[in-house]
Amino acid sequence: MTKQYRITLLPGDGIGPEIMAVAVQVLQVIGKQMELAFEFQEALIGGSAIDATGVPLPPETLETCRQSDAVLLAAIGGTQWDSLPAEIRPEQGLLGLRAGLSLFANLRPAKILPQLIDASTLKREVVEGVDIMVVRELTGGVYFGQPKGIFHTEAGERRGVNTMVYTESEIDRIGRVAFDIARKRNRKLCSVDKANVLEVSQLWRDRMNHLAKDYPDVALSHLYVDNAAMQLVRAPRQFDTIVTSNLFGDILSDAAAMLTGSIGMLPSASLGSSGPGVFEPVHGSAPDIAGQDKANPLAQVLSAAMMLRYGLNEPGAAVRIEQAVMKVLDQGNRTGDILSEGMTLLGCRAMGAALLDVIQPSS
Ligand code: IPM
Ligand code: MG
């Protein structure tokens, strides 16, 4: 029997609509093969939402997302919205979506693909075999802690305030997600904090140690965030699963992504404890190449695979997509961002066509 899924599409800004179109085509073909019927609804977010409605996350968008089984997001932002006041910048659309859907767990895999190893700026012997999963807390910490704002002191000076705060239950729920993921990987979990300075990190470390008792099969270690940044570029293979807070995870996941040399290839998942997750590429909206058919759609396509695996529990369909991506790379197909000597340069649409050819060979 065909299974039905409602998917909200948020193409967003820049290259978003181009890469989303490829992912949707791939999903449609995979859906036919695997008896999955996707009902797609498109909604506005980010700069395009600001232009159309004045706000980066219109209430209708959040409502549409809430009523769907999963949300596939492309990218938001662009220079034309950079000078707007902070509350109505495109980024607020993303933060509002995370908070509005309670997506506290952000999964950011950084895996070196053998076909692209020379795209890394690090030496082959350092990055070969790297396969890291960064689990970033996404709805707490200094991003959302109160008080926050720019206030005036009695002396008439302005004072900018953010608060890094975590409750035990917030730490425990992200901790459990990370332990569960580590269990399905290589049973090594590294918790990253700044417990030598920050009380909030001392609590974080204490709770991670406490949770570890329920996961005797997972080896838990701790690193301070500055050392973790250093270790990531020095010897990244030592890491399997990393769990960390919102801000540290923002920074470390970019560093981890860059190890692979191909940020255009990396998907991510944001999950809550119930309700739809949001699946999106790690890269941004690349306004400099928007509308030129140059974008790499593969991270968007791999985000659709993550959606199938983590959002819809359809691992079989996810594997098909992942294998198709590997195959097009094996065939030597490359977009400009991952091009190397001897490979074939394709545009966004042609890369999509190459994928569809692999998934559904036209006999
Ligand atoms: C990310 C981005 C966002 C963040 C911005 C765009 C708000 O950097 O998803 O990593 O800081 O979380
Ligand atoms: Mg970031």
Side-chain angles (χ1 to χ4, degrees):
M1 208 188 71
T2 303
K3 280 189 262 174
Q4 307 268 349
Y5 293 113
R6 293 172 69 137
I7 311 292
T8 299
L9 304 174
L10 304 176
D13 308 320
I15 58 170
E18 298 165 63
I19 58 178
M20 184 65 92
V22 172
V24 167
Q25 283 181 330
V26 166
L27 281 170
Q28 273 161 341
V29 172
I30 291 283
K32 281 205 195 94
Q33 293 180 347
M34 308 286 289
E35 300 200 7
L36 311 173
F38 299 110
E39 187 195 314
F40 295 111
Q41 282 152 303
E42 214 173 287
L44 289 168
I45 192 167
S48 48
I50 296 173
D51 289 348
T53 71
V55 292
L57 181 66
E60 311 84 82
T61 294
L62 191 55
E63 203 38 49
T64 305
C65 291
R66 281 202 177 112
Q67 281 166 19
S68 56
D69 296 304
V71 179
L72 190 61
L73 169 70
I76 56 147
T79 44
Q80 66 267 53
W81 302 287
D82 278 353
S83 53
L84 290 172
E87 334 67 86
I88 53 163
R89 284 172 55 134
E91 288 81 354
Q92 288 304 320
L94 201 53
L95 296 175
L97 190 66
R98 291 172 183 170
L101 298 175
S102 304
L103 305 171
F104 66 88
N106 185 211
L107 277 41
R108 296 188 168 184
K111 185 172 175 175
I112 282 268
L113 302 176
Q115 301 94 332
L116 302 180
I117 195 158
D118 294 318
S120 177
T121 49
L122 275 77
K123 291 190 194 116
R124 171 182 279 266
E125 55 270 31
V126 173
V127 291
E128 199 151 42
V130 161
D131 182 355
I132 300 172
M133 175 69 90
V134 179
V135 180
R136 168 190 177 192
E137 200 291 326
L138 203 59
T139 49
V142 73
Y143 271 58
F144 293 94
Q146 294 290 342
K148 65 187 284 180
I150 298 176
F151 305 102
H152 287 268
T153 66
E154 278 177 17
E157 191 186 19
R158 286 187 305 162
R159 184 166 172 265
V161 179
N162 289 93
T163 306
M164 195 185 271
V165 53
Y166 276 110
T167 60
E168 292 184 300
S169 55
E170 284 175 318
I171 300 169
D172 287 6
R173 65 180 183 176
I174 190 69
R176 289 197 184 279
V177 168
F179 273 105
D180 284 335
I181 286 175
R183 200 168 240 181
K184 291 191 198 136
R185 294 172 47 96
N186 286 323
R187 297 169 187 265
K188 267 173 62 182
L189 178 62
C190 179
S191 171
V192 174
D193 61 37
K194 189 72 185 172
N196 50 344
V197 178
L198 304 174
E199 282 78 3
V200 58
S201 281
Q202 287 155 17
L203 184 65
W204 179 281
R205 192 174 278 222
D206 183 61
R207 292 312 299 175
M208 290 294 159
N209 282 330
H210 188 81
L211 290 176
K213 292 177 197 148
D214 290 345
Y215 299 84
D217 51 324
V218 176
L220 174 69
S221 61
H222 303 275
L223 280 183
Y224 299 137
V225 62
D226 48 351
N227 188 17
M230 193 166 78
Q231 296 300 331
L232 262 178
V233 281
R234 190 188 71 84
R237 263 196 308 271
Q238 70 186 285
F239 295 104
D240 180 63
T241 307
I242 293 177
V243 63
T244 191
S245 58
N246 205 341
L247 179 62
F248 298 162
D250 178 45
I251 299 165
L252 292 182
S253 64
D254 266 21
M258 208 51 224
L259 295 174
T260 69
S262 38
I263 196 162
M265 296 295 303
L266 297 177
S268 75
S270 302
L271 308 170
S273 41
S274 60
V278 173
F279 303 85
E280 59 179 308
V282 166
H283 64 71
S285 61
D288 53 319
I289 56 162
Q292 299 170 36
D293 194 33
K294 287 183 180 167
N296 180 353
L298 295 178
Q300 186 71 56
V301 169
L302 290 171
S303 299
M306 268 192 118
M307 175 179 87
L308 289 164
R309 176 172 287 112
Y310 291 100
L312 305 177
N313 199 19
E314 297 286 356
V319 168
R320 279 199 187 205
I321 293 183
E322 288 157 357
Q323 285 175 345
V325 169
M326 291 308 116
K327 183 112 187 258
V328 293
L329 293 175
D330 286 339
Q331 293 169 340
N333 298 309
R334 301 287 188 271
T335 42
D337 57 314
I338 52 173
L339 186 64
S340 58
E341 224 181 294
M343 300 293 138
T344 313
L345 176 63
L346 298 184
C348 182
R349 281 198 294 268
M351 185 58 102
L355 271 172
L356 294 182
D357 258 0
V358 165
I359 296 171
Q360 190 182 46
S362 49
S363 45

